Amino acid sequence: MGPLRGRSGELGQLLEALRAAEGGTASLTVVTGEPGIGKSALVRALVEQAERRGVLVAQAAAHQTDEISPLASLAPALRTGVEPLVSTEHFLELAGLNGQPLWLGERLADLLGRRLDGVPALIVLDDAQWADPLTNFVLRIVIARLSRAKVMWVLATRPGPGALFDQLVDAVRDQVPVHAMQLAPLSTEAVLELAADRLGSPVDPSLSVRLGGVQGVPFLAEQLVAGLYLADLPDGLVEGVRRRVSSTSELCQELLRTAAVFGSEFQLDDVAVLMGDSIAKLAGALEEAIRAGLLADGTSTLSFRHELLRAAVLAEVPPSAQRALHKAIADQLLSSGQGASAAAPHILATAAAGDVGAIITLREAAQELLPTMSITALKVIQETFELTLPESRLRGEVGEDVIAILLRLRQFAQAEAFAEDLLGGTALYRGPVSPDLRASIMLRLLPHRWATGRLGESELDVPGASAQLAERLRSYRVLGRLEAPFETTDAVALGIQHLAAAERAQRAGRYAEARDLYREARLAAGEQVGSHPAIHIEMAELFCQAQADELTTALTRLKDLLGASDSWLAPQLSVLRARLELATGNLPAATEAATSCIRWSAEVHDNTSEPTARQILALIALLKGHPTEAREQSPDPQIRALLAIADGDLSAATKLLDTPLDFPERHDLLIMAATTAPDPKTAAQAADLLSAQAEATPTRTFQAAAQLVTAHNQLREATAASTDVVGVAGARARLVAVVELLVGSPRRLLVARADELLGRAELEAGERAAGVAALERALGRYTELGAAAPAGKVQAVLQAAGVRRRKWAAVPQRPESGWDALTPMERRVALLVAEGHTNRSAADELVLSASTVGTHLRAAFGKLGVNSRVQLTRLVLERFASPPNA
């Protein structure tokens, strides 16, 4: 290629980003400019420099026709070269994920991460304004995931509101540096240099004057030199192309006009069929078009050398001829079996309002595109709706298609608004709204309305609807607790009633019963109107299955779903996995799943699962001994109570009694409340709550939790009454039996907790050997699971009991400064002072002397870097919003 003129500054910026990528700083550069301004030339110069530096280069260009083919824009970049970024085997695997964009993005990021491990790379997508929707979505994920790779991403695109640049910046700005490069017109000097390069000689004065008319657009300067652009005419390029085309044969002219209607890229055999000529006969005409500088031969496909050249050719085709060609192309694509989706762009280019044949074909195209190109399917069905006449019977049917696809894309607000307009007698639809159409649309919306607590009574009754639809609506009344269950033979209505019964059972904590009812509801669910999505039901079923002591089975099934289900449900599936992994004590897997939930919530713009994910991360942080991280993850009262307990405020255990039924590992929080609360009333209430749960779902887990606290508290009470020898012996036996009951349970944290409580109780009862053995088991379990905080406490108890080891496990060292540097008593003193206590009143609260409080306060001042009560109070308020003891 010739030298790049007038872009040295821009090329320098790109090379600087490339060098940064080689050094390990990934980045994204979006080169924006009008057609012909030189984006592709700048990118080619960068690619040439990268190859000289030994950087791995992958590049592709998007085309106008990419919109109907999933990943069509990015795929060539993944598969080109001697050693492509993605192997054939893996590329076929990716093709199977076209209908699951989130899973596809994650898998591609994983494959590229391995391929580019330590390898500097440049990945380029030119003409990104035409990138297919799946490429757009996947790029957002992959660029963010590869933020630590040595890769530079470059996208060249045309400017426009809501363009690719805006989407990418919003998605990746926090992960990689993003550079925006707007290409301005070339200077006059650069244009003259460019012309001299193309001519191979200096530019004569008359040409220099004419070059001033290209307004700094390098493509037009090149075409002027080539004789295709006449700068002295308003439509210079069109006129120049017209003259060049007119000098070719009639067959070549027909070939060019037909190809221009096909698109910027086309297959010669398609054009040959449409023209009714053989490929051999067209070979000469094709050669003429290539020599004329209009077409380029890409081996498998042909294309115009530039989109502006195609536009100039197309401008010479009368609108009536364009419509006829589009219709002929659509008919050819349909008759050759390429499908309604391939014909859709050509039908949309010519169809008139009320064209029933076009509407039927476009509805079929939308359904073809839906599994893999849902965004394109929505665009097609919306344009199809515009083609239907307001008074047409088809208007309501196509409108229902629009609502169904909007719901599939989780665009719930848009679906609701569209349905309201469609059914509300507005100008959107002037035809009669039949009862069945109204009922059918309501049934499509009801699963989402129920999930978001917006099930209105009025919408559950549509007079005149068919018996089948009426029964389904009535079943949603049962689900909304507006009516008692009733007999029905309709599978959908029956499934909804099973779902209603399952929800009631789960809310009451009857998890085994709920599990079975969810299973019946799932088996009854289908694809019929009104069916609740089976995957939503199965997620609830798996949660109840895990609660009903089928934890391992539920987790195995859930892992299968994570790779095979609708990727838009990734946040909900991930947070459920985080729950189950935490229940097994697999803290790394639970952390990974909860973090994925938060990340994917941002990707799909659905944050309903994020609070639970943060609760789980906070619980894990507490187990690991990271209170600051726990505090940052979740502001929930239960987390604040656990933090207060960790700071030595055992009275905060009372707040754990209000733990909701669906809080992660609720039984563990109630065990803590029952065994740490200083007042017997709180301990008894916690024990009652656990017993009630064990009665609702009599599983090993809930029964053991209830029996554990009952036996533990009985043993503690009997030990305190030194004369109750029989009571001590009985409580000890019951506690040992509970611990034995849990042997082999997959809930390893619960097993460790049981051993810890048994060991502590045995020591209090004077049974040192048994107590030490139980605590040794607990310490081993906690250490294996990475639960450093409880392991450290158990280790301290063993050391206090006189146990000696050649080498104890390393206990995390307390920081020297900051809030985490404070001892539990120093934290309590600091929090009381922040609440307004004096040293004396704080001493009374803590049952200490005022001088001891002063000693703790001075230590807290030093570690926190403050020197007054006012500064301490400000620090606490900034940290907690309100003191956790308040």
Side-chain angles (χ1 to χ4, degrees), residues 337-354:
Q338 296 186 50
S341 58
H346 299 285
I347 295 174
L348 288 170
T350 60

Side-chain angles (χ1 to χ4, degrees), residues 433-447:
V433 179
S434 69
D436 276 5
L437 176 62
R438 184 178 297 277
S440 183
I441 290 175
M442 285 294 100
L443 283 166
R444 291 189 184 278
L445 296 171
L446 285 176

